[in-house]
Every structure is written in structure tokens, then in C-alpha cells.
């Protein structure tokens, strides 16, 4: 490890790992990455882990491997205290680490908005552990419903990309599982997607929302819009209208707020959803030694949607800007390059958005193109971490031998 400015990166998600990979081999930087998980994963793929359609092998990268490759130190743990005066971070392992510069890349979680019963009676997919727990619960629920000859009722709250893709991926899981298939799914599954707003996928053009709704309904999924959830219990969801939607498996995929750990940064500007306010050089507005990137940060002068591509670009920018700051120079400001968005409904359909007015996808061929772009974004990130050849090999292997979800049929 090279001597130099001590840089701590809290969080090894897309943005955090991109920053660590870019900074780890700098001669004037000694970098340590801290994450509660031993492995890095692509957060936009959590719905696939949750459905069992993506395996850990080849898609979860041990931080120790990336640390060796990119020349940084990895420490597994979670922050419990940050002392900005002494410039130290204390971990739940009992260790206390000093820093000269601190990078907060702790990501985000779904926002329960304080609605009664959500935390106690719903599952989330904010982390790999959450996704694995959801798949285990889903698998057991499928087995139990089939054994009893009953319907499996699933309710997902949140009509954004996460909720829409998750409910489609759960359908795909049953369709692809050995001993099951589409015919079994149609007789087994009673699924509902609940959205507070007037349409699902509100970030996409209305035509995409309409087409996605039609695709989900074709799969037998009930799409409920303008349905505000005001409570949850072990039987389902309560709506503001007074209606109760039964669901034996309840999943919350609505809203976005910064990781709770951002509250450890006392005295710094934080938005209503916990994001740390940063300047155009991604330094927090009240402490230039502390940076924040990804979902847990917000540039008030030019807000950016909390997406993986934004986190990736910010991590890469920090890899260029921080050495300039250490050297006493002023780096150029961060400029976000919006490359559009893609949503994929399993293997059933997909759409992309080039900008707020132009979208593409839908139908067999154009839907396939959107799904390939969706996968390509992930593979591009993977290639930057693993290298082009290993990524190409794993991609070919997965396409030649696609995952068959194990639902115990």
C-alpha cells in the first residue's frame, strides 16, 4: 500500500467501488474501503437475486479480490460513529480508523414514510441479504401454496422500476423453474402491484407506462394505481379508500431515502430524505474533507435521480478530482451525462428512454433490444471491475446455461 493521504470510502456499491478502483493505485493516496458485506454486487440486479433468476456465483465479487487488484485495503464492518473534528470513523467491529478525506457512498433504501405496519410486516430488497431472504420466503410460499392447493397472494407496493421489474421477475422465476412453468403460474399466482400515483413507471413516457401495465396484466398481475397504502398487517395492505388488499407475501419497493448511516455525519447539511448536500465537486457543503456520492448525496444546484449510472459517473469523477484536490488544485466541476434509462420485465418485454421525450422498446424485437441494453449496462460495470475477458466468459456461460430457479417443485 502506498503512503500518502488517508482516504476512507464508506460503502462498496457502484459509486464507492468505482472511486476505490480509480484511487487505489495512486501514489499519493492510501485508500481503505469499508463495507458491511464481504462482496460487491450490482444493486439494480437485486430483484433478480430476490427471484432466484440470478446466482451469486460470477455476480458477487469478493472485495478482497478487488482490493488486491486495485491496490486498496478492504475492511468489513459498518460505521457506528464519525468524528469529523478528529477525523476518525468507528466501526461496529471496535476498530477506529483515521482519515484525511472521507467518501460517503452508503447508498439508499426504500422509504416506508412512517406508515404503520410497513417495517414489521413487509419485506424489502435494499441489500443482497434482503434479496436472499426474500427468495427464501418466496420459495417457501410457493411450496406451501402448491401443497395446500391454494393461490399464492403477493402484494408489491411501488410502481417504479424496482417494483415493476421485481413482480415480472417473480413470474419469470415460476415460469423457468423445473417442474413448474407458465401454466402453473397462471393457476398459482395472485399478484397485485400497488402504486400511489396515476401510473406506473412515472419516470418514463406515458406510452411506456401504458404498455408496461398491459404487459403485466397479460401476465395475470393486477395493477392498482391511485391506491395510497396507509397501513399493513400480516394479512395485507390497507388503502386510504378503506379497501383492504390481501397479500400473504408483502413487499415494499416504494420511495427512496439515504442510508440511515448518513445521520452519523452530525452538523452536515442533509435533505428531507437524508441525502447529504454536496457542491459540484461532490464535497459536502459544510466540510470539504467529506465527500458524498451516489444515492446518499444531492447537488442542490442540479439534482440527479438516484440511479446506478449516476453513482458510477460520480465515483469515476472522484477518481479524477480527489487527486487534484489533494494537490491543492481546483478540479473541474462534476457534469452528469444522462444516458437514458431502461426497464426490463424479465424476458417478457422491455423499454428504454433516450430522453424525456424519446423512448423505445415494446414488442418482440424492440423489447429484446431494451433487455439487452439493460444487461449491457451491468456487464459494462462488471468488465471495469473484473476485466473484459472474464466478463465475456461469464456472460457466454450464463447465456448458454441459463439459471433454472430452485423453487423446490
Amino acid at each position: 500500500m502506498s503512503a500518502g493521504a488517508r482516504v476512507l470510502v464508506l460503502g462498496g456499491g457502484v459509486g464507492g467501488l468505482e472511486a476505490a478502483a480509480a484511487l487505489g493505485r495512486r501514489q499519493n493516496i492510501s485508500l481503505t474501503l469499508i463495507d458491511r458485506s464481504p462482496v460487491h454486487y450490482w444493486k439494480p440486479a437485486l430483484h433478480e437475486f430476490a427471484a432466484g433468476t440470478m446466482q451469486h456465483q460470477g455476480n458477487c465479487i469478493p472485495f478482497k479480490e478487488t482490493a488486491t487488484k486495485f491496490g486498496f485495503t478492504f475492511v468489513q464492518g459498518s460505521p457506528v460513529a464519525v468524528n469529523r473534528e478528529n477525523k476518525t470513523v468507528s466501526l461496529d467491529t471496535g476498530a477506529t480508523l483515521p482519515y484525511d478525506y472521507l467518501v460517503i457512498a452508503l447508498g439508499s433504501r426504500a422509504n416506508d414514510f412512517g406508515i404503520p405496519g410497513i417495517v414489521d410486516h413487509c419485506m424489502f430488497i435494499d441489500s443482497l441479504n434482503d434479496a436472499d431472504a426474500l427468495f427464501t420466503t418466496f420459495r417457501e410460499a410457493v411450496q406451501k401454496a402448491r401443497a395446500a392447493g391454494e393461490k399464492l397472494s403477493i402484494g408489491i407496493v411501488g410502481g417504479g422500476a424496482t417494483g415493476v421489474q421485481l413482480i415480472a421477475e417473480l413470474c419469470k422465476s415460476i415460469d423457468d423453474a423445473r417442474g413448474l412453468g407458465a401454466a402453473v403460474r397462471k393457476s398459482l399466482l395472485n399478484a397485485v402491484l400497488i402504486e400511489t400515483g396515476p401510473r406506473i413507471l412515472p419516470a418514463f413516457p406515458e406510452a411506456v407506462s401504458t404498455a408496461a401495465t398491459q404487459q403485466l396484466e397479460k401476465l395475470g398481475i393486477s395493477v392498482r394505481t391511485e391506491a395510497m397504502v396507509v397501513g399493513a398487517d400480516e394479512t395485507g395492505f390497507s388503502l386510504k379508500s378503506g379497501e383492504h388488499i390481501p397479500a400473504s407475501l408483502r413487499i415494499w419497493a416504494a420511495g427512496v431515502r439515504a442510508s440511515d448511516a448518513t445521520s452519523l455525519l452530525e452538523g452536515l447539511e442533509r435533505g428531507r430524505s437524508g441525502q447529504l448536500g454536496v457542491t459540484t465537486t461532490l464535497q459536502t457543503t459544510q466540510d470539504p474533507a467529506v465527500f458524498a456520492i451516489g444515492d446518499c448525496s444531492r447537488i442542490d444546484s442540479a439534482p440527479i435521480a438516484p440511479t446506478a449510472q449516476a453513482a458510477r459517473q460520480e465515483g469515476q469523477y472522484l477518481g479524477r478530482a480527489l487527486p487534484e484536490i489533494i494537490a491543492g488544485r481546483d478540479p473541474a466541476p462534476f457534469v452528469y451525462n444522462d444516458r437514458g434509462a431502461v426497464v426490463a420485465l424479465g424476458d417478457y418485454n422491455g423499454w428504454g428512454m433516450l430522453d424525456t421525450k424519446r423512448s423505445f422498446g415494446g414488442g418482440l424485437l424492440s423489447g429484446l433490444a431494451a433487455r439487452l441494453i439493460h444487461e449491457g449496462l451491468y456487464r459494462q460495470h462488471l468488465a471495469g471491475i473484473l476485466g473484459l475477458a472474464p466478463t465475456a466468459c461469464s456472460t457466454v456461460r450464463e447465456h448458454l446455461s441459463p439459471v433454472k430457479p430452485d423453487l423446490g417443485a
Side-chain angles (χ1 to χ4, degrees):
M1 174 63 65
S2 60
R6 297 166 300 181
V7 178
L8 293 187
V9 178
L10 300 185
V14 175
L17 187 55
E18 288 282 357
L23 294 168
R25 286 181 174 167
R26 292 276 185 168
Q27 293 299 312
N28 62 336
I29 290 176
S30 175
L31 189 140
T32 300
L33 174 68
I34 301 166
D35 197 281
R36 62 180 178 177
S37 171
V39 298
H40 168 77
Y41 53 89
W42 177 252
K43 189 175 181 181
L46 283 177
H47 64 284
E48 296 175 77
F49 289 113
T53 54
M54 178 177 280
Q55 297 177 330
H56 284 208
Q57 184 178 5
N59 295 299
C60 294
I61 309 167
F63 281 118
K64 289 185 178 180
E65 291 184 10
T66 57
T68 299
K69 179 176 181 179
F70 294 106
F72 61 83
T73 299
F74 170 66
V75 175
Q76 186 174 353
S78 296
V80 294
V82 176
N83 187 321
R84 291 193 295 113
E85 183 177 353
N86 295 333
K87 290 191 172 182
T88 60
V89 174
S90 298
L91 305 181
D92 57 357
T93 60
T96 296
L97 304 178
Y99 70 84
D100 297 306
Y101 298 93
L102 179 63
V103 179
I104 310 299
L106 292 166
S108 63
R109 64 177 181 84
N111 194 344
D112 62 82
F113 302 104
I115 298 173
I118 300 302
V119 173
D120 293 332
H121 299 290
C122 295
M123 303 196 75
F124 296 78
I125 51 168
D126 295 326
S127 67
L128 187 61
N129 286 341
D130 287 346
D132 290 344
L134 177 52
F135 175 66
T136 298
T137 301
F138 172 62
R139 184 177 186 270
E140 292 172 351
V142 167
Q143 294 173 0
K144 182 179 178 181
R146 293 196 73 213
E150 299 174 347
K151 287 272 192 177
L152 168 57
S153 59
I154 298 177
I156 297 180
V157 179
T162 299
V164 169
Q165 292 182 132
L166 174 60
I167 204 161
E169 205 70 24
L170 293 174
C171 290
K172 181 177 183 292
S173 180
I174 298 174
D175 285 1
D176 292 350
R178 292 184 178 87
L180 299 180
V184 172
R185 169 177 53 79
K186 292 175 182 178
S187 63
L188 174 70
L189 195 60
N190 182 16
V192 58
L193 179 66
I194 306 169
E195 165 58 34
T196 300
R199 62 186 178 93
I200 64 172
L201 299 177
F204 284 76
E206 188 169 354
V208 172
S209 299
T210 300
T213 298
Q214 293 171 345
Q215 180 65 66
L216 293 176
E217 290 175 341
K218 185 177 179 181
L219 292 171
I221 297 163
S222 173
V223 178
R224 298 290 305 273
T225 56
E226 297 185 295
M228 180 178 288
V229 173
V230 295
D233 58 25
E234 65 276 5
T235 65
F237 295 103
S238 299
L239 302 185
K240 185 178 181 180
S241 64
E243 182 182 356
H244 181 267
I245 297 180
S248 57
L249 177 54
R250 300 161 301 280
I251 304 167
W252 190 266
V256 177
R257 65 171 293 110
S259 165
D260 290 341
T262 59
S263 63
L264 299 175
L265 282 298
E266 296 181 3
L268 296 186
E269 177 189 353
R270 294 172 68 225
R272 186 171 55 183
S273 296
Q275 289 95 343
L276 294 166
V278 299
T279 68
T280 55
T281 54
L282 306 184
Q283 293 165 287
T284 55
T285 55
Q286 292 161 315
D287 189 339
V290 178
F291 299 74
I293 62 176
D295 295 0
C296 67
S297 71
R298 176 181 172 86
I299 305 174
D300 287 331
S301 61
I304 301 169
T307 63
Q309 68 164 313
R312 186 167 187 255
Q313 289 182 36
E314 289 177 351
Q316 292 171 339
Y317 166 83
L318 200 60
R320 301 187 300 271
L322 186 52
E324 293 289 304
I325 292 171
I326 293 172
R329 296 187 289 269
D330 294 327
F334 171 72
V335 177
Y336 175 58
N337 180 15
D338 188 352
R339 297 186 174 93
V342 180
V343 61
L345 274 62
D347 288 338
Y348 308 109
N349 218 325
W351 296 268
M353 184 169 63
L354 300 174
D355 53 42
T356 56
K357 296 181 180 179
R358 294 183 297 166
S359 62
F360 65 92
L364 180 60
L365 294 179
S366 54
L368 174 61
R371 295 197 302 274
L372 290 176
I373 292 172
H374 186 270
E375 181 182 357
L377 295 173
Y378 164 58
R379 299 296 176 184
Q380 183 184 41
H381 170 70
L382 209 60
I385 303 302
L386 293 178
L388 185 58
T391 300
C393 289
S394 68
T395 301
V396 171
R397 183 171 60 251
E398 289 182 24
H399 280 276
L400 291 177
S401 301
V403 175
K404 293 290 184 182
D406 178 15
L407 298 181

